[in-house]
């Protein structure tokens, strides 16, 4: 296992801030993770585990040791006439794994193409896009308990999936390192093109729906709206879409006729991007950071900005939305 001292995390997270870690450990096996966890058993707060770094905002240099999960491998572990169960190591790149499923004719993840990050982060965040969520194909995961080094299995229920959340972001946050994830995929996939933009993109492309074409459509849509982290530092959607009461929605709708809303279990889900754009933040630039010009949900680092600057911008946006709409925005990105 490679250990790097006082090392920059710039290549290891998608915002691209030049923050430094006291130590950087690159783990390529379960034993590597156990070894690092053993060092910090007495002080677990001094260890931070990082996957693809696509959903994190670093606001300062770190006194902690950062462990990069680089476990690799994809294996079909079970199959029947209709389905295939695939176990994937947590350090695999999510989009590359999705492309592997498409190349092998396995359906279920095509709508989640081009989402940045690692496979291990997918269930942690319960990632979702274009009418699909990870919990729909997720079977289980194996995670290493850092305090003991033992491996625990978590199924769909015990992961406690919520909107862009799971037990790994709540009650057991920081206690486990995800080692592998198992998905159940379809050999005769039923394509989900119900999300309007996919159907329109397929029509524009002039192709019939297939695993490949649906994936291509999603990729085209994402590329048209979202900046490539390799070109402009960002962490995708910075804020969650809030759920508000029906009464508040009706009151706002009477004032803002174009305000979109979608039924949700506890009220009405509204689009955070619409709120931010309506409040005048879309495209605003402050020196070398700001709000993306095509997608108000995305905060960006144009190069040389600091995480503190982006965090302060998010604070201003949250205050602005609260004042104008009476809605409390919640960050989707993890703040460190």
């Amino acid at each position: 296992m490679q250990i790097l001292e006082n090392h920059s995390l710039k290549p290891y997270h998608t915002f691209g801030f030049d923050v430094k870690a006291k130590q950087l450990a690159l783990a390529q096996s379960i034993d590597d993770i156990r070894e690092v966890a053993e060092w910090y058993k007495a002080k677990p707060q001094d260890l931070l585990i990082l996957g693809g770094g696509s959903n994190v905002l670093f606001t300062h240099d770190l006194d902690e040791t950062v462990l990069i999960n680089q476990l690799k491998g994809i294996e079909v572990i079970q199959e029947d006439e209709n389905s295939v169960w695939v176990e994937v190591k947590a350090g695999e790149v999510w989009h590359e794994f999705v492309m592997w499923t498409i190349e092998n004719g396995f359906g279920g993840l095509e709508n989640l193409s081009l989402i940045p990050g690692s496979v291990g982060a997918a269930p942690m965040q319960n990632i979702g896009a274009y009418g699909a969520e990870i919990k729909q194909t997720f079977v289980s995961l194996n995670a290493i308990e850092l305090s003991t080094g033992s491996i625990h299995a978590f199924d769909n229920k015990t992961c406690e999936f919520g909107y862009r959340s799971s037990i790994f972001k709540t009650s057991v946050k920081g206690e486990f390192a995800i080692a592998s994830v198992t998905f159940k995929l379809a050999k005769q996939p039923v394509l989900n093109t119900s999300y309007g933009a996919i159907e329109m993109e397929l029509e524009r492309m002039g192709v019939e729906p297939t695993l490949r074409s649906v994936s291509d459509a999603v990729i085209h849509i994402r590329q048209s709206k979202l900046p490539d982290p390799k070109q402009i530092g960002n962490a995708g959607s910075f804020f969650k879409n809030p759920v508000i009461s029906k009464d508040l929605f009706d009151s706002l709708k009477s004032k803002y006729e174009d305000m979109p809303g979608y039924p949700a279990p506890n009220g009405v889900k509204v689009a955070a991007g619409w709120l931010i754009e309506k409040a005048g933040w879309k495209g605003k630039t402050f020196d070398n950071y700001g709000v993306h010009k095509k997608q108000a949900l995305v905060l960006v680092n144009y190069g040389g900005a600091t995480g503190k600057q982006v965090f302060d911008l998010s604070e201003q946006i949250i205050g602005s939305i609260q004042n104008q709409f009476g809605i409390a925005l919640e960050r989707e990105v993890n703040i460190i």
Side-chain angles (χ1 to χ4, degrees):
M1 178 172 52
Q2 191 174 11
I3 305 291
L4 305 172
E5 302 287 339
N6 194 32
H7 198 76
S8 175
L9 293 175
K10 188 173 182 178
Y12 299 101
H13 68 116
T14 58
F15 255 119
F17 301 123
D18 191 17
V19 294
K20 289 183 172 57
K22 183 178 180 180
Q23 285 185 319
L24 182 66
L26 306 178
Q28 298 178 338
S29 69
I30 288 176
D31 285 342
D32 285 349
I33 294 175
R34 283 174 168 155
E35 181 180 348
V36 175
E38 182 67 26
W39 297 344
Y40 292 94
K41 186 179 291 186
K43 292 184 176 182
Q45 69 275 10
D46 290 343
L47 178 64
L48 172 67
I49 297 176
L50 194 63
S54 61
N55 202 51
V56 63
L57 177 70
F58 291 111
T59 58
H60 54 78
D61 289 340
L62 304 181
D63 288 331
E64 301 98 317
T65 290
V66 175
L67 174 65
I68 306 291
N69 187 333
Q70 295 186 328
L71 276 63
K72 301 289 186 179
I74 302 174
E75 181 183 3
V76 174
I77 59 172
Q78 181 183 341
E79 60 183 304
D80 60 24
E81 184 179 349
N82 300 311
S83 305
V84 60
W85 286 256
V86 182
E87 183 178 16
V88 195
K89 293 297 192 299
E92 290 285 349
V93 176
W94 173 257
H95 179 64
E96 292 179 4
F97 169 56
V98 174
M99 293 298 99
W100 180 92
T101 68
I102 291 169
E103 289 166 7
N104 285 275
F106 304 146
L109 301 179
E110 57 279 357
N111 290 48
L112 303 178
S113 297
L114 208 62
I115 293 179
S118 64
V119 167
M124 183 178 293
Q125 296 289 133
N126 185 24
I127 60 173
Y130 303 104
E133 278 188 314
I134 202 67
K135 65 180 182 181
Q136 295 165 339
T137 52
F138 174 89
V139 175
S140 64
L141 63 81
N142 289 323
I144 305 161
E145 187 175 22
L146 299 177
S147 62
T148 65
S150 60
I151 295 179
H152 294 249
F154 292 78
D155 61 14
N156 212 305
K157 182 178 180 180
T158 54
C159 280
E160 297 180 10
F161 289 125
Y163 174 51
R164 302 298 172 267
S165 182
S166 70
I167 193 172
F168 301 101
K169 291 186 70 176
T170 55
S171 59
V172 299
K173 183 177 181 180
E175 296 179 17
F176 290 86
I178 296 176
S180 65
V181 187
T182 298
F183 300 91
K184 182 182 179 182
L185 305 173
K187 289 183 175 180
Q188 289 86 35
V190 177
L191 300 174
N192 178 4
T193 61
S194 58
Y195 191 90
I198 294 180
E199 292 182 346
M200 289 187 290
E201 185 65 23
L202 290 170
E203 290 180 9
R204 188 196 66 79
M205 294 163 60
V207 296
E208 293 296 317
T210 63
L211 287 177
R212 176 67 65 181
S213 65
V214 169
S215 173
D216 287 344
V218 168
I219 290 170
H220 292 162
I221 295 166
R222 291 185 69 89
Q223 288 177 333
S224 71
K225 292 182 177 181
L226 301 172
D228 182 349
K230 295 178 182 177
Q231 305 296 326
I232 302 174
N234 73 92
S237 297
F238 198 92
F239 301 98
K240 296 180 181 181
N241 290 323
V243 175
I244 62 176
S245 69
K246 181 71 162 52
D247 288 344
L248 177 55
F249 177 76
D250 290 341
S251 174
L252 290 170
K253 187 74 171 177
S254 67
K255 184 177 180 180
Y256 305 98
E257 295 182 359
D258 61 333
M259 182 177 184
Y262 310 92
N266 300 314
V268 180
K269 182 181 287 187
V270 295
W274 182 91
L275 296 171
I276 297 167
E277 182 173 352
K278 202 72 173 179
W281 289 98
K282 185 177 181 180
K284 278 200 170 184
T285 301
F286 306 87
D287 295 327
N288 47 4
Y289 66 99
V291 182
H292 193 248
K293 61 183 179 180
K294 292 185 179 180
Q295 175 51 268
L297 269 181
V298 180
L299 306 188
V300 294
N301 167 26
Y302 290 110
T306 68
K308 180 65 164 54
Q309 288 174 318
V310 173
F311 176 80
D312 289 346
L313 173 58
S314 73
E315 288 278 88
Q316 294 176 51
I317 292 171
I318 289 171
S320 171
I321 302 307
Q322 181 69 58
N323 290 336
Q324 183 167 340
F325 301 101
I327 296 174
L329 283 186
E330 184 180 349
R331 298 178 185 89
E332 185 173 325
V333 172
N334 296 301
I335 309 299
I336 297 175

